[in-house]
Amino acid sequence: RAAAGLRWAVAGRSAEKLESLVASLPEGQQTPSVVVVKDAAAAPALADQTRVVLSTAGPFSLHSDALVAACAQLGTSYVDINGEIPWVRKVIDRDHGAAVDSGAIIVPNAGFDSVPSDLAVYLATRPRRKHGRPYWADIEGHVTMRGTMSGGTIATGILMSETYGEKVLGDPFLLGGAPASSSSSQFVEYHDDDVIDVSALDHSDPTAAVAPRINRAYWLAPFGMARINTRVVRRSAALRGEEIRYREFAVADSKDAAAKMARNALVAPEKLRSLVEAGRLPKPSEGPDESTRAASSFELTVVDAETQAVLTSVAGGDPGYDETAKMVAEAALALVERPRHTLACAGKGGVWTPSTAFGDVLVEGLREAGLKIADDAAELADAIAASEAGPLELPSGGDGDSAQKMSR
């Protein structure tokens, strides 16, 4: 989709693999250059040769740390697909000032972690923002997924758990967004969305409000990406001067399924590592094949926490590979092709989130790339009517609050 004449290159450690990648590209596309990067010492030279770096080299705390620092120093903009929130905290603290001075626009978390959540909440809060009013909101994200995680994603999750521990990973405000209001104690308790209590399943309220135009019942369970997406959303809100409560859940179609997902969320990292070593979970560099990806999909619905009324929705195909590639590529293309003043950040350097860096520019790009993003009543009515034609798919277990019954 890039404009004609775009000059680009692929970089990595193996010339053979890079050349094989280039050979696999469809005919008619401009052939990229190949840049071999042997170690972190080469990061400044790489950053100095380009305007924008798109990194998919994870774990990012190990393989992209020197690169993002070089970009911030040299004024080269940067996007990636990381889900390593403690590392993002490090990047903000270390590189934000340099990026402001150099003009580099640094945007971590520009893949499935956390573009859908960040843009959906951005759109949900926009109506009030347009009228210049300070915004406060109490909202939730409900995620339906069909797909398989890659070995790299699993390995990164294990690394995060073993490196940082629960005190850091469990901090709901690790990237900011802590409340400033007088109701802060209640607010913090509400935000503690990572406490998982399976026993709470027996006390869930089955009479929760039914939202207008939605009539299919489902259960909410812990979502594996909640500790990533909620942190990014809260940072975005803080950067926009908003105060919001945001939690994120996985969707299940039964109490038993929700309970299983809640138990899965409690699996210790050493147990996950043993499952990988035993071949029961994919290893790094292993992931779903093309047919599995073609059958994969996701849908995020953002709702008012009290009324369960739908505010926004984002849906697409395979989240971990196909749609993540679109998300980060559209972010990079926005930095290359769009005038800087048209971006949400107005071209100012710094460490941003996807919604605060790009705003509507990224929404438009992703719609053109095929993602379904609804943020008005007519679009949502169509999206809900279409979704009711098929059964709900069960996502894999993960992180979030104890499962609870909702209706739609």
Side-chain angles (χ1 to χ4, degrees):
R1 202 188 65 77
L6 175 71
R7 296 171 56 228
W8 66 296
V10 292
R13 290 168 290 181
S14 169
E16 181 180 356
K17 290 182 179 180
L18 292 171
E19 289 164 358
S20 175
L21 171 63
V22 171
S24 71
L25 296 174
E27 294 183 5
Q29 292 191 358
Q30 181 180 352
T31 302
S33 304
V34 171
V35 179
V36 178
V37 181
K38 291 295 185 183
D39 53 37
L46 175 64
D48 202 31
Q49 294 179 58
T50 187
R51 292 169 52 200
V52 177
V53 168
L54 185 167
S55 178
T56 60
F60 290 80
S61 58
L62 301 179
H63 302 306
S64 293
D65 191 58
L67 181 57
V68 68
C71 287
Q73 291 288 337
L74 295 169
T76 300
S77 294
Y78 168 97
V79 295
D80 70 28
I81 59 171
N82 96 82
E84 303 166 35
I85 294 301
W87 178 69
V88 174
R89 178 73 264 169
K90 174 184 175 182
V91 169
I92 294 168
D93 294 340
R94 182 191 65 193
D95 298 327
H96 178 73
V100 169
D101 293 340
S102 71
I105 299 174
I106 307 296
V107 191
N109 313 112
F112 185 61
D113 310 329
S114 300
V115 166
S117 304
D118 200 31
L119 290 185
V121 173
Y122 161 75
L123 292 172
T125 59
R126 183 169 61 176
R128 183 142 183 171
R129 214 162 39 244
K130 281 185 175 180
H131 293 88
R133 302 171 186 167
Y135 197 86
W136 184 93
D138 187 351
I139 50 185
E140 296 175 350
H142 299 174
V143 185
T144 303
M145 284 180 59
R146 173 194 288 176
T148 303
M149 285 196 295
S150 71
T153 297
I154 294 171
T156 297
I158 294 171
L159 176 66
M160 290 294 100
S161 295
E162 293 178 341
T163 302
Y164 296 102
E166 182 61 25
K167 182 177 181 180
V168 173
L169 296 178
D171 181 356
F173 307 111
L174 189 58
L175 299 187
S181 69
S182 59
S183 59
S184 58
S185 60
Q186 179 183 359
F187 194 29
V188 171
E189 181 181 0
Y190 188 97
H191 268 82
D192 191 12
D193 53 10
D194 308 310
V195 177
I196 301 164
D197 180 6
V198 178
S199 65
L201 284 167
D202 297 328
H203 308 290
S204 298
D205 179 10
T207 62
V210 177
R213 298 179 288 116
I214 303 177
N215 56 25
R216 185 174 56 202
Y218 59 80
W219 285 75
L220 297 180
F223 178 51
M225 308 303 171
R227 284 190 170 182
I228 303 168
N229 298 334
T230 56
R231 279 57 169 164
V232 174
V233 166
R234 290 170 195 150
R235 174 165 169 77
S236 293
L239 290 172
R240 287 193 292 266
E242 300 171 356
E243 187 170 298
I244 68 169
R245 295 175 176 174
Y246 180 68
R247 295 187 294 176
E248 204 163 76
F249 304 95
V251 169
D253 65 354
S254 71
K255 177 178 177 179
D256 289 344
K260 181 179 179 181
M261 293 160 69
R263 287 190 293 270
N264 288 344
L266 298 173
V267 175
E270 55 268 22
K271 176 63 174 180
L272 291 175
R273 187 179 295 281
S274 68
L275 293 173
V276 171
E277 293 171 350
R280 296 176 60 186
L281 290 174
K283 298 179 174 63
S285 78
E286 296 178 351
D289 58 23
E290 186 174 353
S291 62
T292 301
R293 296 199 307 272
S296 300
S297 64
F298 82 92
E299 180 183 9
L300 165 69
T301 303
V302 170
V303 304
D304 181 284
E306 181 177 358
T307 67
Q308 294 298 293
V310 173
L311 303 175
T312 54
S313 67
V314 181
D318 171 61
Y321 286 83
D322 298 351
E323 304 297 40
T324 280
K326 293 177 185 177
M327 293 169 196
V328 72
E330 289 297 332
L333 287 173
L335 292 169
V336 172
E337 298 178 346
R338 296 293 189 115
R340 289 174 68 101
H341 73 273
T342 65
L343 305 178
C345 65
K348 297 177 182 178
V351 180
W352 300 94
T353 62
S355 69
T356 58
F358 303 113
D360 290 347
V361 167
L362 187 55
V363 173
E364 294 165 7
L366 292 177
R367 281 176 169 156
E368 290 181 18
L371 272 77
K372 299 176 182 178
I373 304 176
D375 69 320
D376 65 46
E379 288 177 328
L380 285 169
D382 291 342
I384 293 165
S387 71
E388 288 174 349
L392 286 172
E393 298 297 331
L394 297 185
S396 57
D399 185 20
D401 267 347
S402 54
Q404 49 188 292
K405 183 69 182 276
M406 295 294 178
S407 300
R408 82 171 184 180

